[in-house]
Amino acid sequence: MVKQMNRQPDSHQVQFLSIKNKSLQCLASFVLCVVFLSLTAAWNRFPFVFSDSGTYIDVAITHFWPGDRSALYSLFIYPLHLKLTLWPVVLVQAAMTWYLVRVFFRTFAHAFREEQVVLSVLVLGLCSSAPWFVGQIMPDVFAALLILAIATAVIGQDRLARFDRVAIPLLIAFFITTHLSYLIIASGTLALCLLIRLLSGRPTPPLARVFTKVNISMVAAIALGVLTMLSFNIITKRGATLASTGNVMLLGKLIDQGIALDYMTEACPSRAWPICATLPELKQIKARAVAQGKPIGAVSDTFLWGGPLVQLGGMTVVSKYASEITNGAMRAYPSQFLQEALRGFLAQTVTFQVGDDMIRYNPDTSIHQIIARHFDADTYAAFQSSRQYQQQLHVDRFRIADNVLLGLSALVVAGYLLLHWRSNVPLAQFTLVVLGGMVLNTMVTGALSAVHDRYGSRVSWLVPLIALFIISEYIRNKTGTVRVVETGKPRDAMSPARSV
C-alpha cells in the first residue's frame, strides 16, 4: 500500500472531484479529457477534414486500395462511422490520446493524481495543436502518440502496469500501419531509447538493459506493423511492398529538388519514359516556383495533384518506371540530393503553425463529393454548416495561443534539462527521446516530402505536455506531497514508484 508524508492524507483517500473510488476517478478523468480534446472539433460543428480525408473515408467503402497511402486507417475508421456519423472517430482518437498521456503521467510522476492529467489536457485542449489533430479525420494524430508511446514504454518500462505492457505495443503496431512515414519515426525513436538505456549507467549489464521484455515487445510491435502492411498489400494484389506507388511520391520530391529534372534531361534521349514528353512543362513549373519564391514542395504538389501526373496515366502507370528515374537521379547527384534534403529539413524545423490545412473545400473537391455520396443529408448539411466550410474558424487567434504556449513550454523544458534533470533522471531521458522523435518527424517530412505546417504542428504539442508535467511536479513538491513505498522509505527520484 502507499502512504503520504508531511501530513498529507493517505493515498487511498485522495479525492478527485469528491470521488474516493479510484476506478471512478479514472472514469471521470477519461470523460473530461475526451471532452476537452474534442471541444475544438465540437466548436467547428463537424470533425475537421483535409483533402486526403475523403480518400480515407472512401477506401474502405469502395474497396479501391490506393498505392500512395495506407488503407488501414480507412479500415480503422469505417466501423466507427458506418456511413452514419464521423464523430465516433474523433472520440476514439481522443480516448487514445488520453490513455497515453495518462500512462506518461502515471509512469513518471512522484505522486500521481488524476487532476494532473485533467488539468494538463484542459490546457492542451484550449491552447495547443493537439485538439486540431484529434478532431481531424486523418492519421496525423498518431505521429505524436507514436513517439509518446515508445518513449514512455521503453524509458519507463520498470513502472508500466501489466495492461500497458500489452496495450502499448498493440497501439504502436496499429499507428505504424496508418502512415508510411511512421515506420521510420518508430524505428528511429526506439533506437534512441535503446541507446539511452545502454548509456544510462545502470548497475545491470549492458545487454540486460537492452534485451528486456518491453524492448523486445517494441521491436515485435514494429515488425507486426510492417507485416500487417505487407500482408494487406499482398492480399489486395499490390505485391510484397509497403507502398506500391511510393516511388512516385519520391519522384515528385526529386522533381521538386530539381535533380530528377537534370537526370531526365540527360537520360530521356536514350529512354522511352512517357514522362519525358512532359519534361518541358515540368521545367516551367519548377522555374515559376523558384521565381515566385514558393515553398519547398510546391513543385511536387503540382506534379502529383495539379495535373501532370493525371496526364501521364496516374500513379499506377508512372510507378512502373519511377524507380528507375529516382534511383538514377540519386546516384547521379548524391551531394545535391543530400543538400536539398538538408534544406527541406531545416525549412520544416521552423514550419509548424497550427491550422494551415483548415481551409474550405469547395463542392468540386473529393472530400465534398465523398461526404455527399456516402452520408445522409443531415450529415452533409452539418459538414456544409461547419465553421471550416463557412471559413469562420479564425485560426489565427488559436495560432497565437499555441505559439505562446509553445514558447513558454520550450523555456520550461530547457530550464529543466539544464538545471534540474537530476531530480528525475528517467523524465530527462524521456524528454530527450521525445525531442529526438520530433526531430525524426521533421527529417522524414522535410527531407522526403513537401514542407507543410501540419507536419510540424502534429507533434509540437508534445513540448507543452512535458512542460505541464514538469510544472505539476513542481507544484506537488511545493505542497509537500511525497509518496513512499511500503517500507516507509522515501521513493528514490531515479526510479518513480509504480502508481495505480
Side-chain angles (χ1 to χ4, degrees):
M1 302 298 111
V2 181
K3 298 179 180 179
Q4 297 280 0
M5 297 180 64
N6 298 342
R7 296 186 297 278
Q8 296 296 320
D10 192 66
S11 65
H12 70 273
Q13 295 180 345
V14 173
Q15 297 186 20
F16 169 60
L17 297 177
S18 300
I19 301 172
K20 294 184 179 180
N21 183 276
K22 291 181 180 179
S23 296
L24 292 179
Q25 288 182 11
C26 180
L27 178 61
S29 171
F30 167 76
V31 172
L32 288 171
C33 289
V34 168
V35 169
F36 295 155
L37 290 168
S38 306
L39 277 178
T40 306
W43 177 75
N44 181 52
R45 300 190 289 259
F46 196 83
F48 296 114
V49 296
F50 181 59
S51 59
D52 290 349
S53 300
T55 300
Y56 287 117
I57 294 171
D58 188 61
V59 162
I61 299 173
T62 63
H63 296 175
F64 173 75
W65 313 116
D68 60 317
R69 56 179 65 90
S70 173
L72 293 164
Y73 179 74
S74 180
L75 295 175
F76 161 69
I77 67 173
Y78 178 71
L80 297 177
H81 67 71
L82 293 174
K83 299 193 293 185
L84 298 174
T85 174
L86 291 167
W87 282 110
V89 179
V90 175
L91 297 179
V92 170
Q93 291 178 170
M96 290 178 176
T97 304
W98 164 81
Y99 168 68
L100 289 172
V101 168
R102 185 175 184 272
V103 172
F104 158 59
F105 272 82
R106 180 162 48 82
T107 299
F108 292 98
H110 287 242
F112 172 73
R113 296 178 68 169
E114 293 292 349
E115 55 262 38
Q116 287 181 287
V117 178
V118 174
L119 293 175
S120 297
V121 170
L122 174 60
V123 175
L124 293 175
L126 294 175
C127 303
S128 79
S129 62
W132 296 86
F133 292 96
V134 167
Q136 189 177 45
I137 309 302
M138 285 286 290
D140 282 333
V141 62
F142 301 139
L145 297 186
L146 179 63
I147 298 170
L148 179 61
I150 294 175
T152 300
V154 178
I155 301 300
Q157 59 185 267
D158 298 330
R159 298 165 299 279
L160 289 180
R162 185 176 301 174
F163 175 81
D164 303 328
R165 293 171 181 265
V166 176
I168 292 179
L170 291 177
L171 283 175
I172 290 170
F174 164 67
F175 295 157
I176 289 172
T177 67
T178 62
H179 199 279
L180 301 177
S181 67
Y182 293 168
L183 173 59
I184 302 175
I185 295 173
S187 301
T189 302
L190 178 57
L192 182 57
C193 285
L194 297 179
L195 178 62
I196 287 179
R197 281 187 63 86
L198 191 63
L199 302 176
S200 63
R202 293 167 177 257
T204 54
L207 289 180
R209 301 174 206 164
V210 175
F211 292 99
T212 66
K213 290 182 179 179
V214 171
N215 294 347
I216 293 173
S217 74
M218 295 293 105
V219 176
I222 295 175
L224 177 60
V226 172
L227 181 61
T228 301
M229 289 189 286
L230 289 174
S231 301
F232 180 82
N233 284 328
I234 291 172
I235 292 172
T236 56
K237 299 181 180 179
R238 294 188 174 273
T241 177
L242 298 178
S244 59
T245 58
N247 56 354
V248 181
M249 304 295 288
L250 179 58
L251 175 60
K253 178 63 175 179
L254 299 187
I255 289 174
D256 188 272
Q257 292 180 345
I259 66 174
L261 298 178
D262 294 339
Y263 178 72
M264 285 190 289
T265 299
E266 298 176 0
C268 276
S270 60
R271 298 292 198 280
W273 301 322
I275 196 174
C276 291
T278 66
L279 186 56
E281 179 187 357
L282 295 176
K283 289 183 176 180
Q284 290 177 2
I285 293 173
K286 173 68 173 177
R288 285 197 299 269
V290 172
Q292 296 171 8
K294 291 186 176 181
I296 296 172
V299 177
S300 61
D301 285 346
T302 301
F303 168 71
L304 295 170
W305 323 115
L309 184 62
V310 174
Q311 296 170 14
L312 292 168
M315 286 199 173
T316 302
V317 173
V318 176
S319 67
K320 296 177 181 178
Y321 55 86
S323 294
E324 188 178 356
I325 299 174
T326 56
N327 293 338
M330 287 189 286
R331 283 196 303 265
Y333 306 100
S335 61
Q336 186 176 342
F337 170 73
L338 293 176
Q339 290 174 6
E340 291 297 326
L342 177 60
R343 191 167 73 93
F345 163 65
L346 294 176
Q348 184 64 72
T349 301
V350 295
T351 307
F352 51 83
Q353 295 299 313
V354 67
D356 72 306
D357 53 342
M358 301 299 174
I359 62 176
R360 172 191 171 113
Y361 294 97
N362 295 319
D364 61 341
T365 56
S366 63
I367 177 62
H368 207 290
Q369 297 167 1
I370 287 168
I371 292 177
R373 183 186 313 133
H374 295 309
F375 292 83
D376 60 24
D378 290 340
T379 301
Y380 183 58
F383 167 64
Q384 289 183 303
S385 67
S386 67
R387 294 181 186 273
Q388 182 179 1
Y389 184 79
Q390 297 293 333
Q391 296 180 297
Q392 298 174 350
L393 280 179
H394 306 296
V395 178
D396 54 328
R397 301 175 186 175
F398 291 94
R399 191 171 290 161
I400 293 173
D402 179 49
N403 288 339
V404 170
L405 180 63
L406 266 176
L408 294 176
S409 299
L411 291 175
V412 170
V413 172
Y416 170 79
L417 289 177
L418 290 173
L419 303 174
H420 301 290
W421 63 271
R422 289 185 180 85
S423 63
N424 191 335
V425 174
L427 176 62
Q429 295 173 337
F430 168 88
T431 302
L432 292 176
V433 170
V434 168
L435 295 177
M438 294 174 64
V439 171
L440 279 169
N441 173 79
T442 303
M443 290 177 62
V444 170
T445 54
L448 300 178
S449 184
V451 173
H452 291 296
D453 280 289
R454 67 187 181 92
Y455 292 144
S457 58
R458 70 184 184 181
V459 299
S460 63
W461 63 269
L462 291 174
V463 176
L465 172 65
I466 296 173
L468 289 166
F469 177 85
I470 293 171
I471 292 171
S472 70
E473 286 292 276
Y474 175 80
I475 294 173
R476 179 199 59 78
N477 281 328
K478 287 298 182 182
T479 57
T481 305
V482 179
R483 183 168 288 190
V484 297
V485 295
E486 286 182 298
T487 60
K489 297 178 181 179
R491 188 194 59 65
D492 187 347
M494 291 288 288
S495 55
R498 183 180 298 176
S499 304
V500 294

